[in-house]
Structure formats: structure tokens, C-alpha cells
Amino acid sequence: FNTYGPRMRTDDGRAVSNLLTQALRGEPLTLYGDGQQTRSFCYVDDMVEALVRLLAKHKGLPGPLNLGNPEEVTLLALAEAVLDVTGSSAPIDFRPLPVDDPVRRCPDITLARQVLHWTPRTPLADGLVKTTQYFRGVLESMDRRRPLAAANVA
């Protein structure tokens, strides 16, 4: 399941980082298919809290435990939220859906709620604001370090 937040790489290939990077650069946002496939996005602070609780509960787990945000979000809704939070007017570029792309990803966190007394608390919009602030700084820093085009120097 998708964990996102500050300190993730801008080029890691996941939906949040791809869309934020494209929006902040004014590039078209790439979506595959019609964007109606769903994903779940868990803010990093919530995931860390779950992992700390899991480590503290080192005995007695009844089996595999899913960690993630059970709120399903379409990729189109994510792209629209990214455009909103970044203020970008970039278009959305719909491309063919890869054959192996899952239509739905959503964790069942019932066991995590019962055993760890945990549920994610950060709304997607709030997490995107924090992640966008971080990405803005990273991309601005990268742009400052980008070498200038070679000029004819005699």
C-alpha cells in the first residue's frame, strides 16, 4: 500500500511523487487508463506510528497484519488533489492502462485496529500539503544545482 510524505524521493516512481513532481514542474500529469483505479495513501507519520506499535507488540500476533490507509482514492481524484494543492494548471495526460495494473488496492486493517489500536489519522489533503512543501524545496534546490547549458566561450 502507498506510504507517502516528506523525504520520499521525487523520482521513486510512485503515484504521489510522480504527480507532485510533474505538477510542480508544470508538466502534464500522467494517468493510466481512465484514472478510476483506486489506491490507498497512508501518510508517513501514521505508518511510523503503526510500525512502532507493531514493534512493541512483538508477541502474540495472530497472523499477517496489513498496515495502510483503508480510504480508497481514485488516481484521478489524487491527480485533481495534487493540482489543487500545487496550484498547477497542468493538463492530465491519459495513457493506455498497463495490462498488469491492479484496478483496486485497499488494505483491510481490521487486525491492526484490534491488536495495535491503530488507524491512520492524517487526511490525504493535509499530507499532500506537507509533501508538496518538501518537494518544492527539493525541486528548487535541484534546479539551482542544474548546470547551465554549455555556451560558446572563446
Side-chain angles (χ1 to χ4, degrees):
F1 309 108
N2 293 280
T3 301
Y4 73 99
R7 305 202 62 83
M8 67 189 299
R9 289 181 32 188
T10 59
D11 64 351
D12 78 356
R14 289 183 279 174
V16 170
S17 57
N18 286 354
L19 295 173
L20 276 176
T21 299
Q22 290 170 334
L24 290 169
R25 289 185 170 154
E27 299 170 354
L29 278 61
T30 306
L31 285 184
Y32 297 93
D34 60 5
Q36 293 306 306
Q37 54 278 44
T38 64
R39 301 292 183 268
S40 62
F41 301 99
C42 188
Y43 188 67
V44 66
D45 290 358
D46 293 332
M47 183 58 68
V48 168
E49 179 186 342
L51 292 170
V52 167
R53 288 178 186 218
L54 181 62
L55 289 170
K57 182 102 177 146
H58 65 286
K59 292 183 186 178
L61 287 179
L65 183 108
N66 287 329
L67 298 176
N69 190 331
E71 181 183 327
E72 285 182 86
V73 176
T74 67
L75 291 175
L76 180 57
L78 174 65
E80 291 168 345
V82 163
L83 289 172
D84 185 52
V85 76
T86 61
S88 175
S89 59
I92 296 175
D93 180 19
F94 292 92
R95 296 192 181 169
L97 184 67
V99 176
D100 60 347
D101 193 49
V103 174
R104 183 175 186 226
R105 283 192 198 146
C106 183
D108 176 353
I109 65 164
T110 302
L111 191 55
R113 284 184 176 128
Q114 293 170 349
V115 174
L116 304 178
H117 307 289
W118 173 83
T119 189
R121 296 178 295 184
T122 307
L124 180 61
D126 294 349
L128 284 177
V129 166
K130 294 174 185 176
T131 307
T132 298
Q133 291 168 346
Y134 172 77
F135 271 46
R136 234 184 256 286
V138 168
L139 293 173
E140 287 171 0
S141 175
M142 289 170 63
D143 288 345
R144 283 192 299 271
R145 289 186 302 204
R146 185 173 291 138
L148 298 174
N152 287 337
V153 178

